[in-house]
Amino acid sequence: MIIAVDGPSGAGKSTVARILARKLGSLYIDTGAMYRALTLKALENKIPVSDEKQINGLAAAVKIDLRNNPDGSLSVMLDGRDVSLDIRQPRITRFVSDVAKIKEVREIMVKMQRELGHKKDCVLDGRDIGTVVFPDAQKKFFIDATPKVRVERRFKELKGLGQDVTINDVENDLSNRDKIDSTRQVSPLRKAEDAIYIDTSDLSIEQVVDKMLEFIK
Ligand code: DC
């Protein structure tokens, strides 16, 4: 069974998708982490994100693995190296939407995601899972929250990672990414017609997961 979880940044998708996958014994695939890993590789190679030709070259050669650990965490491997923490740095967050809007990059990533998804039951989270990657997914969710709540959640998460950010930084970053992610030409963020919409603004993580499980059963 394939379960698609889409929605804007900071709505809590990855948290609920990871828990849901664990409860169902499915593989968890964080597709945003794949775009982030590629962005890290570009920055490490000093390739500007506007240089589509070189970024496409990197995307074609890169090896990205997502490892589901027994404790429920996810390790993101870039060419054999664990980059789980590096991909959450602010410099990656700043540039990832520019990398993710490149058509060829999306084609390569979508192909990888489909290969991963065909191996086993899985829960995938992203922006275009229900619309493009797996339009035939058995269950689709669109996880949303008000911009204010999304900013607060992302702020807490980054502080928890020890990052020195202000609420203003997070607000600017989210609105900038919302804009790029939902207005880009290739597979912009939008709710699939048959996706179940959940506004998580006033719900706890457990409540959201329980709601999703109810729809699945
Ligand atoms: O979910 P996230 O914040 O880790 O995603 C990072 C970026 O990648 C986000 O700005 C949008 C993009 N993305 C995408 O375009 N398509 C996906 N399936 C997942 C993420």
Side-chain angles (χ1 to χ4, degrees):
M1 177 162 67
I2 289 185
I3 298 177
V5 183
D6 290 304
S9 308
K13 296 184 300 298
S14 354
T15 309
V16 295
R18 194 174 52 233
I19 298 174
L20 188 67
R22 202 169 158 75
K23 290 204 177 220
L24 296 171
S26 299
L27 195 68
Y28 166 55
I29 302 178
D30 176 352
T31 62
M34 300 170 76
Y35 291 97
R36 284 174 180 270
L38 178 61
T39 306
L40 175 67
K41 180 148 185 166
L43 296 188
E44 284 179 347
N45 284 277
K46 307 227 174 333
I47 298 174
V49 291
S50 53
D51 188 340
E52 293 195 5
K53 207 166 158 222
Q54 285 211 66
I55 304 259
N56 291 342
L58 280 189
V62 77
K63 194 164 175 340
I64 300 169
D65 270 335
L66 300 176
R67 290 198 189 145
N68 282 229
N69 301 317
D71 67 356
S73 63
L74 180 84
S75 295
V76 182
M77 310 298 294
L78 171 65
D79 298 326
R81 173 166 62 106
D82 189 337
V83 295
S84 313
L85 279 182
D86 303 300
I87 60 166
R88 305 291 161 196
Q89 291 167 7
R91 66 187 184 119
I92 305 299
T93 305
R94 190 168 343 125
F95 292 115
V96 63
S97 289
D98 290 308
V99 170
K101 72 182 183 192
I102 304 172
K103 182 169 169 274
E104 289 79 0
V105 164
R106 299 203 71 82
E107 284 167 3
I108 292 167
M109 294 292 151
V110 167
K111 189 164 171 263
M112 279 190 212
Q113 291 155 16
R114 287 187 181 139
E115 281 167 8
L116 287 169
H118 279 135
K119 280 192 194 149
K120 196 178 172 242
D121 285 349
C122 60
V123 179
L124 298 100
D125 89 60
R127 305 291 188 288
D128 58 342
I129 309 301
T131 51
V132 175
V133 185
F134 286 110
D136 297 330
Q138 281 85 346
K139 274 282 172 276
K140 299 181 186 177
F141 294 97
F142 193 89
I143 304 293
D144 205 357
T146 61
K148 185 167 177 281
V149 169
R150 294 198 283 124
V151 168
E152 283 164 3
R153 284 184 188 157
R154 191 42 67 92
F155 179 69
K156 259 198 205 151
E157 181 191 337
L158 295 177
K159 281 282 178 195
L161 287 174
Q163 291 185 16
D164 183 20
V165 286
T166 65
I167 198 103
N168 246 348
D169 294 336
V170 178
E171 204 168 354
N172 289 338
D173 162 59
L174 275 194
S175 80
N176 182 38
R177 283 204 293 149
D178 276 357
K179 194 162 153 223
I180 303 179
D181 295 343
S182 50
T183 58
R184 68 176 174 227
Q185 287 194 327
V186 201
S187 3
L189 168 67
R190 69 179 172 79
K191 177 186 162 302
E193 268 177 29
D194 51 349
I196 296 154
Y197 180 89
I198 304 181
D199 180 345
T200 68
S201 308
D202 297 318
L203 299 177
S204 68
I205 294 168
E206 293 72 28
Q207 285 173 321
V208 179
V209 174
D210 285 349
K211 241 181 203 293
M212 294 167 96
L213 281 170
E214 260 171 48
F215 280 113
I216 292 165
K217 284 167 185 160

